[in-house]
Amino acid sequence: MHARLHLSSEPGFPTSDTLAAYTLTQARGGVIHRDATVFADAMTRGVMVAIIDEAGDVGDPDSLLAIAGVLPLEAGLFELGGALVHEAHTGFGLQKPMMQARLMAYFGLKIAPLENLRTGAGRARYGDPSRRVLEAAGFLPIRHADAPVDFYDECKTCTRGAPAGHQCCYQYYTASPACRTVPYEPGVREIVRKSDGRTLRLTLPELQF
């Protein structure tokens, strides 16, 4: 399969309705469902990233391998939201280049100051890869009490339960200056999935701002 990374600042990006439809079918684990209004706001004030099958139709949710965004929050803050990878396309390491592209877009598009960027990842086993990627990129853990107020709203209806010794099932983070040095390397990558030997040809385009 051949796929390409796209930014919502480019023409021809999937619509907010397409992103919402994808989320409805693929949300699992600790992923919070986002509706089309949230995605439309992210494409206006933040940025969305998608990895799309080059043989597919950008209007078809089944053509999306993965999506992720920089989502507006209250008080001028922004969330580096978790990447939602299609269940059939996990294991290719798509979270890392999507995180790198979003950080480059956050700074390149001058979305907001560095200190306004927050993120989080589940403490359960499914969140292990996300936490490793975030911490390697320079995100620093913060207390649950210091998380954006928007995240507290999610806690009110959360039924997952917190691991022993923790107040919340999520670990929250804030960006540090090290996030500015995270490299995004354009080019074509041939990625072989260890579980079955399947190959994905992923194009990471030059990002111009």
Side-chain angles (χ1 to χ4, degrees):
M1 176 181 285
H2 295 184
R4 183 183 186 275
L5 183 143
H6 297 258
L7 293 183
S8 57
S9 53
E10 303 171 354
F13 192 80
T15 67
S16 58
D17 287 329
T18 299
L19 299 180
Y22 172 83
T23 304
L24 271 177
T25 60
Q26 293 302 319
R28 60 194 183 277
V31 174
I32 298 167
H33 172 65
R34 313 287 189 179
D35 63 21
T37 303
V38 172
F39 291 127
D41 190 30
M43 288 190 278
T44 300
R45 296 196 289 150
V47 70
M48 292 297 300
V49 175
I51 294 178
I52 304 174
D53 181 355
E54 290 193 315
D57 178 352
V58 295
D60 181 359
D62 290 336
S63 295
L64 302 178
L65 277 64
I67 67 171
V70 175
L71 311 171
L73 299 174
E74 297 292 333
L77 300 178
F78 285 81
E79 175 192 1
L80 188 87
L84 178 54
V85 180
H86 192 293
E87 194 167 17
H89 303 302
T90 59
F92 287 110
L94 300 181
Q95 290 194 40
K96 187 173 181 179
M98 295 182 81
M99 184 272 298
Q100 294 167 337
R102 281 180 292 160
L103 284 177
M104 186 171 181
Y106 185 80
F107 299 125
L109 295 171
K110 297 180 173 57
I111 291 172
L114 167 71
E115 59 270 19
N116 289 24
L117 186 60
R118 304 286 187 273
T119 191
R123 295 183 185 276
R125 183 171 296 177
Y126 63 75
D128 289 350
S130 296
R131 293 196 308 277
R132 286 195 294 269
V133 168
L134 291 172
E135 290 170 13
F139 282 92
L140 302 177
I142 57 175
R143 300 182 308 157
H144 179 70
D146 296 329
V149 65
D150 312 65
F151 297 158
Y152 296 146
D153 290 339
E154 305 291 350
C155 291
K156 294 175 184 176
T157 57
C158 178
T159 59
R160 290 186 293 272
H166 296 285
Q167 183 180 354
C168 178
C169 64
Y170 253 59
Q171 172 63 61
Y172 293 109
Y173 297 87
T174 187
S176 80
C179 294
R180 291 187 179 277
T181 65
V182 173
Y184 170 82
E185 299 178 359
V188 178
R189 300 182 186 179
E190 298 281 347
I191 307 169
V192 179
R193 186 161 62 183
K194 292 181 180 179
S195 62
D196 59 5
R198 184 183 175 199
T199 299
L200 172 66
R201 186 173 186 267
L202 177 62
T203 298
L204 301 176
E206 293 277 356
L207 301 181
Q208 303 293 332
F209 304 105

